[in-house]
Amino acid sequence: MRPNGRYAAGASQLSAIRAWAICLLLLSAAAISPTTARAAPSQAAATTHVYLLRGVLNIFSLGLDTIGSRLEAQGIPVTVANFVSWSSLADEAAANYKAGRLKTIVLVGHSSGATALPDMIAKLNRLGVPVKLAIGLDSVFKTKLSTGAERYINIYIGDGPGEPVKRADGFRGKLDNVDVRGTGVGHITIDKNEVIQRRVIAEIDAAIARSRGPAAPIAGPGAPPRQARSAAATAPARN
């Protein structure tokens, strides 16, 4: 039996209204969700800076460039440089922090770049500047932290050239040593590994989300010289 024409027209209008309602709900969800997800990084990005330190010869740590590009895509300012620039970069970060242009400082280093992180943190601490997060990727020297970032994550290959980072006297902050032996990553590839890169970016995003909280205590400008140095400066390389 064929439906009455008025009934068919009414049913057709109802179906069209329902379809429009569903489309509007889906469009609203699509419009709201991404904005909410991006809001936290975008709001904090203006006062955040991530410094990424490459290792020796400046050609074996190009995974840091990829990490930097991904962070920039999130609106987070970055500087990628060779590890030998750590001291001048610390001066730059301190000047921007004291001028109020910078609130959250994050450091990431690979190989010798990871070895330089404790020295950069110590210098920033001496200048009265807190470090929110530092991430080292397979530091090639025996490294000690005598002053602290709020959080320091050392991702290393336990059966390779990398070393766990140790706490020295006076260390303040949270230290996590993460051994990734057996995962298939090597010293030259750890910074390029997709899983490692995602971990680094996720930790940086989390640090930015925490940036509204109080900074971890740091060593004052008058701290004794022995607390201002890391063992990385004097420790011999592993053969």
Side-chain angles (χ1 to χ4, degrees):
M1 183 176 69
R2 294 183 65 186
N4 178 280
R6 291 177 65 188
Y7 173 81
S12 177
Q13 288 174 354
L14 257 168
S15 297
I17 290 168
R18 283 176 183 163
W20 274 107
I22 291 168
C23 286
L24 285 171
L25 283 171
L26 290 173
L27 286 170
S28 298
I32 291 169
S33 299
T35 303
T36 304
R38 287 194 298 262
S42 296
Q43 290 169 359
T47 54
T48 298
H49 203 102
V50 180
Y51 294 91
L52 300 115
L53 303 183
R54 296 192 192 116
V56 172
L57 300 180
N58 220 30
I59 58 173
F60 298 117
S61 305
L62 298 184
L64 297 185
D65 295 63
T66 305
I67 293 172
S69 296
R70 291 181 175 185
L71 292 171
E72 285 182 327
Q74 295 180 209
I76 303 168
V78 306
T79 296
V80 184
N82 189 255
F83 77 99
V84 296
S85 302
W86 69 263
S87 184
S88 60
L89 292 175
D91 289 331
E92 174 190 300
N96 287 328
Y97 180 85
K98 291 177 181 179
R101 294 186 293 270
L102 189 55
K103 178 182 176 183
T104 304
I105 296 172
V106 177
L107 313 178
V108 181
H110 170 235
S111 190
S112 294
T115 304
L117 293 185
D119 293 310
M120 188 169 178
I121 293 168
K123 181 169 184 176
L124 285 166
N125 286 179
R126 287 199 308 273
L127 295 171
V129 177
V131 175
K132 193 74 176 178
L133 172 69
I135 302 175
L137 301 177
D138 217 33
S139 173
V140 292
F141 289 89
K142 292 181 179 178
T143 306
K144 287 185 180 180
L145 284 172
S146 54
T147 54
E150 183 176 305
R151 188 176 183 202
Y152 193 108
I153 303 171
N154 175 49
I155 303 175
Y156 72 105
I157 305 165
D159 56 357
E163 294 276 356
V165 171
K166 301 183 187 298
R167 294 174 175 85
D169 293 341
F171 171 77
R172 287 176 285 183
K174 183 179 180 182
L175 170 62
D176 293 322
N177 280 299
V178 181
D179 188 348
V180 294
R181 77 178 80 187
T183 60
V185 299
H187 180 71
I188 301 300
T189 61
I190 189 170
D191 60 307
K192 303 167 189 69
N193 180 272
E194 180 68 20
V195 174
I196 299 293
Q197 289 190 355
R198 287 182 182 178
R199 167 75 185 268
V200 169
I201 292 169
E203 294 290 356
I204 292 170
D205 287 340
I208 291 172
R210 295 193 307 269
S211 64
R212 290 192 180 93
I218 59 173
R226 66 181 184 84
Q227 290 186 332
R229 300 178 61 210
S230 77
T234 55
R238 270 183 79 183
N239 295 324

